[in-house]
Amino acid sequence: MERQKKLDYNIMLIGFMGVGKSTISARLQELLPVETVEMDALIAQKAGMTIAEIFDRYGEEHFRDMETEMIKELGNQKNLLVSCGGGAVLRDENVRLMKEGGTIVLLTASPETIYERVKDSTERPILNADMSVSHIGELMASRRDKYERAADLVISTDGKNVDEICAEVIKKLPGTAE
Ligand code: S3P
């Protein structure tokens, strides 16, 4: 696919932990003229510690404050493809900020698919205490409304490969399809 002109907005990739935001964003970077950024990596870099350490030392609220700050900073730029942490849309203020200069793309997957992708990871404080399909399913259900209300586009990833998912994103995004 030809690399088109730069986007005059940011693409905000959202969705539950392990849905594949980082993988999809890495592939999309090869297909679109965007600059990819990982919100969690930027937060960790700024704090000088891992996300798990931030939760451990300062608690979830502090991490959420850092997320809000980062969304504000990224909102001053354009043509970014931002892979957001799974909880970035939990605050309505974040969603409002994300919508100001961005299009929000929601990736979804079943709790079983998510479990298979995250079960060996110890880096997600929200899941560390109870890594199970049922906990993932409950948490997903409690967040579903927030995700769906925030999303401009929804892409289901179950049973699709990375290229199929990216093709769908590109087709649905404003100004990217050929
Ligand atoms: C979180 C998701 C994580 C990270 C933090 C909290 C969440 O990001 O921001 O552990 O509350 O869903 P990923 O979705 O990239 O795992």
Side-chain angles (χ1 to χ4, degrees):
M1 184 177 301
E2 239 178 73
R3 292 171 74 86
Q4 310 91 333
K5 66 175 171 35
K6 290 186 190 308
L7 305 179
D8 61 358
Y9 61 91
N10 290 334
I11 303 168
M12 309 299 286
L13 207 51
I14 65 163
F16 201 81
M17 293 165 271
V19 78
K21 289 164 292 190
S22 304
T23 308
I24 297 303
S25 107
R27 180 76 182 114
L28 276 176
Q29 186 171 23
E30 297 169 355
L31 301 169
L32 293 171
V34 290
E35 184 192 335
T36 303
V37 294
E38 287 275 335
M39 220 162 76
D40 277 351
L42 288 180
I43 292 172
Q45 194 182 28
K46 203 168 170 181
M49 60 185 97
T50 65
I51 302 299
E53 283 167 345
I54 299 173
F55 269 74
D56 241 29
R57 281 215 214 165
Y58 303 111
E60 181 171 349
E61 273 311 292
H62 181 79
F63 172 73
R64 299 297 175 203
D65 289 340
M66 295 187 77
E67 263 184 334
T68 303
E69 276 312 301
M70 192 52 72
I71 291 168
K72 279 185 192 158
E73 281 178 34
L74 297 173
N76 296 326
Q77 302 176 54
K78 286 188 191 333
N79 199 52
L80 298 180
L81 168 54
V82 184
S83 179
C84 301
V89 297
L90 295 180
R91 286 188 179 175
D92 292 343
E93 182 194 3
N94 292 359
V95 175
R96 187 183 55 74
L97 290 164
M98 285 158 87
K99 277 189 179 296
E100 270 177 15
T103 294
I104 303 182
V105 179
L106 169 64
L107 300 180
T108 66
S110 68
E112 289 76 11
T113 303
I114 298 284
Y115 176 73
E116 282 308 314
R117 293 188 189 145
V118 300
K119 64 180 183 204
D120 297 324
S121 161
T122 54
E123 284 162 22
R124 293 184 173 89
I126 301 279
L127 296 179
N128 284 351
D130 182 357
M131 182 66 85
S132 63
V133 174
S134 62
H135 181 221
I136 289 170
E138 280 161 21
L139 195 55
M140 199 183 272
S142 74
R143 290 181 172 188
R144 182 160 295 130
D145 238 36
K146 295 261 183 199
Y147 284 130
E148 288 179 357
R149 279 204 310 210
D152 295 305
L153 310 174
V154 184
I155 316 267
S156 157
T157 66
D158 281 316
K160 295 176 192 159
N161 67 32
V162 172
D163 282 334
E164 288 167 334
I165 297 163
C166 289
E168 219 177 298
V169 173
I170 289 170
K171 196 167 149 205
K172 291 182 174 172
L173 273 174
T176 55
E178 286 160 302

